[in-house]
Amino acid sequence: MGQTLVTIVVPIYKVENFLSRCLDSIIAQHYRPLEVILVNDGSPDDCQRVIDRYVANYPDLFIAVRQENQGLGPARNAGMALATGEWLGFIDSDDYVEPDYISAMVELAEAKGVDIVVCNFYLESPTGKRFPFPLMTQARELSGERAAKQSLNLLTVPNFAWNNLCRTSLFRDNHIQFPAINYEDVAITVPLLVRAGK
């Protein structure tokens, strides 16, 4: 039996200086099969040219979507609407990920039978110095309800869209969408976690 498909959504806006690094880190993922949906949210810079190049070179990996600028939440929703993977993740286009980013989370999720896996991350300075996010070092298994309560404290369960992998059905079955506001990922974290088994 083959591995399950994972969908990654990358919302893109004014990140031409970072986008290639992000997409290269996705190409380097150990995990396959992957589908990566690149959503150009009306970016006025050269992002579309970068997107076109990657889609041309990796047509089996990248899917491109273009829309008028609506903001990060609607861009995430546009990609999510096209997702066909059992697992769904988001990578912000000015970030990059380690080669085992997806494989480590899928392996853990399937071994533990969970609905959401949250991973550690670093903050990186302009000089390249990396600082681990505090208190996110120990592996723990929580019920969805307990994780939702702890997500109100960013230091225990960070509520970002880009450091986790969720079952796609968790979004779809519960009609969860990102709102068109700042901190759109914070707004959906508690509803998502509450509906997760663990």
Side-chain angles (χ1 to χ4, degrees), residues 9 20 27 70 87-88 91 110 115 123 129 137 140 145 150 158 160 171 173 176 190 192 194-196:
V9 175
S20 290
I27 292 166
Q70 298 175 50
W87 294 98
L88 177 64
I91 298 175
E110 293 184 344
D115 297 314
L123 305 175
K129 188 163 185 178
T137 53
R140 304 178 279 154
E145 185 176 334
Q150 290 193 9
F160 306 116
F171 281 93
D173 294 351
I176 296 174
V190 169
L192 201 60
V194 160
R195 288 164 176 81

Side-chain angles (χ1 to χ4, degrees), residues 5 42 78 92 120 129 146 195:
L5 179 65
D92 283 358
N120 294 336
K129 188 163 185 178
R146 184 159 178 219
R195 288 164 176 81

Side-chain angles (χ1 to χ4, degrees), residues 18 21 94 96 122-132:
F18 305 101
R21 181 181 70 172
D94 58 349
Y96 66 97
Y122 290 91
L123 305 175
E124 188 172 286
S125 74
T127 61
K129 188 163 185 178
R130 299 167 92 188
F131 304 92

Side-chain angles (χ1 to χ4, degrees), residues 87-151:
W87 294 98
L88 177 64
F90 299 89
I91 298 175
D92 283 358
S93 48
D94 58 349
D95 292 338
Y96 66 97
V97 292
E98 298 293 336
D100 64 345
Y101 170 75
I102 295 169
S103 61
M105 285 197 286
V106 171
E107 184 179 311
L108 188 59
E110 293 184 344
K112 297 286 188 179
V114 301
D115 297 314
I116 301 174
V117 177
V118 180
C119 71
N120 294 336
F121 58 92
Y122 290 91
L123 305 175
E124 188 172 286
S125 74
T127 61
K129 188 163 185 178
R130 299 167 92 188
F131 304 92
F133 192 75
L135 304 183
M136 281 295 295
T137 53
Q138 294 187 350
R140 304 178 279 154
E141 191 173 313
L142 304 171
S143 70
E145 185 176 334
R146 184 159 178 219
K149 287 177 184 174
Q150 290 193 9
S151 75

Side-chain angles (χ1 to χ4, degrees), residues 5-185:
L5 179 65
V6 173
T7 300
I8 298 294
V9 175
V10 182
I12 298 167
Y13 185 74
K14 288 188 178 180
V15 288
E16 62 179 304
N17 295 331
F18 305 101
L19 185 54
S20 290
R21 181 181 70 172
C22 174
L23 300 184
D24 287 342
S25 77
I26 294 172
I27 292 166
Q29 290 302 296
H30 299 154
Y31 191 88
R32 293 293 188 275
L34 276 182
E35 71 175 3
V36 183
I37 302 171
L38 307 177
V39 183
N40 182 346
D41 188 41
S43 190
D45 56 10
D46 273 343
C47 283
Q48 188 61 49
R49 191 174 304 171
V50 175
I51 292 167
D52 292 343
R53 187 173 77 244
Y54 278 84
V55 170
N57 290 332
Y58 299 92
D60 294 335
L61 182 61
F62 294 113
I63 300 163
V65 178
R66 197 172 189 172
Q67 65 183 29
E68 288 187 18
N69 180 249
Q70 298 175 50
L72 199 45
R76 292 192 200 284
N77 293 336
M80 191 166 47
L82 300 174
T84 62
E86 182 177 334
W87 294 98
L88 177 64
F90 299 89
I91 298 175
D92 283 358
S93 48
D94 58 349
D95 292 338
Y96 66 97
V97 292
E98 298 293 336
D100 64 345
Y101 170 75
I102 295 169
S103 61
M105 285 197 286
V106 171
E107 184 179 311
L108 188 59
E110 293 184 344
K112 297 286 188 179
V114 301
D115 297 314
I116 301 174
V117 177
V118 180
C119 71
N120 294 336
F121 58 92
Y122 290 91
L123 305 175
E124 188 172 286
S125 74
T127 61
K129 188 163 185 178
R130 299 167 92 188
F131 304 92
F133 192 75
L135 304 183
M136 281 295 295
T137 53
Q138 294 187 350
R140 304 178 279 154
E141 191 173 313
L142 304 171
S143 70
E145 185 176 334
R146 184 159 178 219
K149 287 177 184 174
Q150 290 193 9
S151 75
L152 300 175
N153 177 351
L154 283 177
L155 295 178
T156 56
V157 179
N159 45 28
F160 306 116
W162 41 259
N163 72 322
N164 60 73
L165 205 58
C166 299
R167 290 192 188 278
T168 306
S169 59
L170 204 54
F171 281 93
R172 293 207 170 125
D173 294 351
N174 296 291
H175 310 288
I176 296 174
Q177 295 264 300
F178 291 91
I181 59 173
N182 289 334
Y183 307 107
E184 79 297 334
D185 42 2

